[in-house]
């Protein structure tokens, strides 16, 4: 994928086709005209209060917002329980017997849980957690494949007021351990394994390694996903089987009435240092943000079969596989495995089999489908689809058009949705009944959200490029970084004063007022929709005994959006061999997880540095992408970079 810049977008805009909402979409949409934007802009708090009123509260709020920049409290004094809003609330009417989760395992096994089934399972597991000593406010780590028990465990925590800390099943033992320790979790829920491309991922083994260095863990609950094919060691007294505990757990559990501002979960995400940040989300505002955006962006109706393909280990799965859709009483498809298993039409066969109406996926997946060819979707009946969504990275217009043409057809709007772990919910996206779409643009801020493009001086840019800022608080905003209030202030609220949230993304606004996202402007990279810090990967490399110094950059990649390129200097006497390059890649995988495996490793005697010793990543990016070198005048030794470029081209060019 070609990297985006402002000039490209000017060219694009001249040629871009516009897609106004079709009469069919408009006729049925929840939102059909601009009034919602105007009302929300006139009084954003009143707008959010209307959205909040659609949830069930056990105590009404006293005030909508208490804003002491950058600290916000939403729905002050209000009480509610997230699991009640996702489950109990739907049991009173016809949704009681509606499918909540339609799940497919990678090997082809299937399970359907109705809202009543899910309610019973969640309540029983809430009782299990309580019996093992978990109390309100305690942290529970969850390290599972994409099985229904993952949603069950999250909602069970929410039911009793425990704080979940879900760790993506692809992360290493060390990453899991650090995330458990940072938030001192009492209990871990894992599985004997998961399936990925026909192989068993040994989650329990990794979990054991992590827990060996995590003294706060008292119990490990193990879901039996694999069984006899993957026997696991159970540590007596510490480890318990999920199914055994559930066998005699009562199926009703009184929900804990939570303060709107009580913590719902912590989710770790990469930042600009080597240490991931524990993003804190609270109960009331988060649920308001996720439920309102799910309903209005996806124009959700009771008959929909909704599929967000994200793993629940990422924020997209938290907000748009679990909380947003379940709060709306939706039928949610979940799929455990890879899109090309057993063949490259797995997604399309799932859509056909379950009659999926709404598909929400990532540009990386779409670009892989493009590469595999339109003959794969063409084998299936995709006519049930009526809306398509995209998230995780900038979507290039070619991918947007392919998605539109080969998957959605003319009847489906394609909705690009921009947001972050920190924002909790969608911030910039079209509303399907109202917004004119442009391939490659996330279009406009959701009602009640106020976004601006700012230049380095902090002035708002009406038309043109700059840094994306959010200039008003919103209900689902992060409330902090767990255990690190200073980093919260410094990272997000110090550039333009405590009332303006810094997103870390570059963006451009066109003459129609539409937003075009350009990617990160900091040392965060986005590999296949997964967020990683260059410093994290550098720390993993430097951890290897042979490495003296490392510099990591993201380079444009046709499918993954970005790939990792690492420049490494070795210690005295260590040979620059291909075998060592491979060993370093494995070392990074072991330290962080497979998502962090570098594509390229280039050994070098020196790294390009400024006279003050700062590594110039910009130049390394130019080298990795085979571009002409930018300004090198601030370098201590310009010859270093010229040599490096020549070597890189020899190796990878
Ligand atoms: C939801 C999620 C957040 C970062 C964000 C952006 C990038 C996400 C889009 C996008 C362009 C999009 N959370 N990003 N969505 N860029 N258009 N529609 O991905 O915390 O993991 O990552 O991802 O750079 O800052 S995340």
């Amino acid at each position: 994928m070609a990297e985006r810049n402002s000039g490209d977008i000017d060219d694009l805009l001249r040629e871009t086709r516009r897609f106004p909402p079709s009469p069919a979409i408009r006729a049925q949409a929840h939102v059909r005209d601009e009034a919602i934007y105007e009302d929300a802009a006139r009084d954003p708090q009143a707008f959010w209060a209307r959205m909040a009123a659609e949830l069930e509260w056990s105590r009404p709020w006293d005030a909508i917002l208490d804003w002491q920049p950058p600290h916000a409290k939403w729905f002050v004094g209000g009480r509610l329980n997230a699991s009640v809003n996702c489950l109990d609330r739907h049991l009173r009417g016809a949704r009681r017997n509606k499918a909540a989760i339609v799940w497919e395992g990678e090997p082809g096994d299937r399970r359907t849980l109705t809202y009543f089934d899910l309610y019973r399972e969640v309540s029983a597991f809430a009782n299990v957690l309580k019996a093992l000593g978990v109390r309100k406010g305690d942290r529970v780590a969850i390290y599972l494949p994409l099985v229904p028990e993952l949603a069950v465990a999250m909602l069970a925590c929410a039911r009793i007021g425990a704080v979940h800390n879900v760790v993506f099943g692809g992360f290493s033992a060390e990453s899991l351990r650090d995330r458990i320790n940072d938030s001192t979790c009492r209990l871990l829920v894992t599985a004997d394994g998961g399936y990925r491309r026909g192989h068993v991922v040994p989650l329990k083994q990794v979990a054991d390694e992590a827990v060996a260095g995590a003294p706060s863990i008292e119990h490990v609950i193990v879901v039996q996903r694999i069984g006899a094919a993957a026997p696991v060691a159970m540590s007596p007294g510490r480890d318990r089987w999920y199914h055994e505990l559930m066998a005699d757990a009562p199926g009703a559990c009184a929900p804990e009435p939570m303060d709107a501002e009580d913590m719902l979960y912590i989710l770790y995400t990469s930042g600009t240092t080597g240490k991931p940040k524990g993003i804190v989300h609270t109960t009331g505002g988060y649920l308001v943000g996720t439920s309102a955006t799910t309903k209005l962006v996806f124009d959700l109706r009771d008959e929909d079969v909704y599929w967000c393909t994200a793993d629940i280990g990422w924020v997209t799965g938290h907000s748009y596989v679990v909380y947003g859709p379940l709060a709306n009483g939706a039928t949610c498809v979940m799929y455990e495995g890879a899109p090309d298993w057993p063949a490259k039409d797995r997604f399309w066969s799932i859509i056909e089999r379950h009659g999926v109406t709404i598909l929400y996926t990532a540009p990386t997946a779409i670009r892989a489908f493009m590469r595999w060819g339109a003959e794969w979707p063409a084998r299936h009946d995709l006519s049930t689809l009526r809306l398509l969504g995209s998230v995780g990275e900038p979507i290039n217009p070619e991918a947007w058009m392919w998605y539109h043409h080969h998957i959605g057809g003319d009847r489906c709007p394609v909705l690009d949705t921009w947001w972050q772990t920190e924002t909790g919910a969608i911030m910039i996206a079209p509303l399907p009944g109202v917004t004119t779409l442009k391939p490659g643009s996330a279009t406009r801020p959701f009602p009640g959200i106020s976004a601006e493009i700012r230049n380095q001086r902090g002035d708002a840019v009406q038309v043109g490029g700059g840094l994306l800022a959010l200039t008003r608080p919103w209900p689902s905003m992060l409330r902090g970084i767990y255990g690190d209030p200073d980093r919260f202030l410094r990272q997000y609220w110090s550039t333009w004063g405590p009332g303006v949230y810094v997103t870390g993304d570059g963006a451009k606004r066109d003459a129609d007022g539409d937003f075009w996202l350009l990617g990160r402007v900091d040392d965060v990279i986005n590999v296949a929709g997964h967020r990683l810090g260059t410093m994290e990967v550098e720390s993993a490399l430097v951890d290897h005994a042979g490495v003296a110094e490392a510099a990591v950059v993201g380079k444009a990649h046709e499918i993954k959006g970005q790939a990792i390129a690492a420049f490494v200097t070795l210690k005295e006497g260590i040979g620059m061999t291909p075998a060592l390059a491979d060993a370093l890649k494995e070392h990074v995988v072991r330290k962080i997880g497979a998502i962090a495996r570098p594509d390229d490793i280039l050994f070098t005697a020196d790294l390009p540095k400024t006279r003050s010793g700062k590594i110039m990543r910009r130049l390394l990016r130019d080298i990795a992408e085979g571009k002409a070198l930018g300004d090198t005048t601030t370098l201590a030794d310009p010859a270093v970079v010229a040599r490096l470029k020549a070597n890189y081209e020899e190796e990878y060019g």
Side-chain angles (χ1 to χ4, degrees), residues 4 269-270 314-316 360 363 390-395 416-423 428 440 442 503-506 516-521 524 526 529-531:
R4 264 183 188 193
T269 189
S270 295
W314 308 102
V315 75
T316 305
Y360 190 27
S390 172
V391 65
E393 319 144 60
I395 182 164
D416 180 18
T417 64
W418 177 90
W419 59 293
Q420 308 171 309
T421 306
E422 294 87 338
T423 70
I428 303 181
T503 65
D505 277 11
W516 299 72
L517 277 303
L518 303 168
R520 301 289 307 196
V521 294
V524 170
N526 191 325
H530 301 322
R531 190 167 149 178

Side-chain angles (χ1 to χ4, degrees), residues 17 21 23 35 70 78 124 247 293 307 330 355 487 525 534 543 572 630-631:
R17 264 184 72 188
T293 49
W307 184 21
R487 191 173 179 190
I525 53 180
T534 52
D543 178 79
E572 283 275 320
D631 185 9

Side-chain angles (χ1 to χ4, degrees), residues 324-341:
L326 295 179
N328 279 284
T331 292
C332 308
V333 172
M334 292 183 195
Y335 167 57
E336 177 189 32
D340 53 353
W341 192 267

Side-chain angles (χ1 to χ4, degrees), residues 126-144:
N127 285 323
V128 165
L129 292 175
K130 274 175 76 172
L132 290 175
V134 178
R135 299 281 169 263
K136 181 177 172 183
D138 287 346
R139 276 80 58 210
V140 171
I142 305 178
Y143 185 66
L144 284 172

Side-chain angles (χ1 to χ4, degrees), residues 47-48 83 186 325 468 500-501 514 647:
F47 168 78
W48 289 118
S83 88
R186 281 188 82 165
L468 180 66
V500 181
Y501 173 86
D514 285 327
N647 291 345

Side-chain angles (χ1 to χ4, degrees), residues 69-81:
H71 303 288
K73 290 187 179 134
W74 281 89
F75 311 109
V76 185
R79 293 193 160 259
L80 77 169
N81 182 286

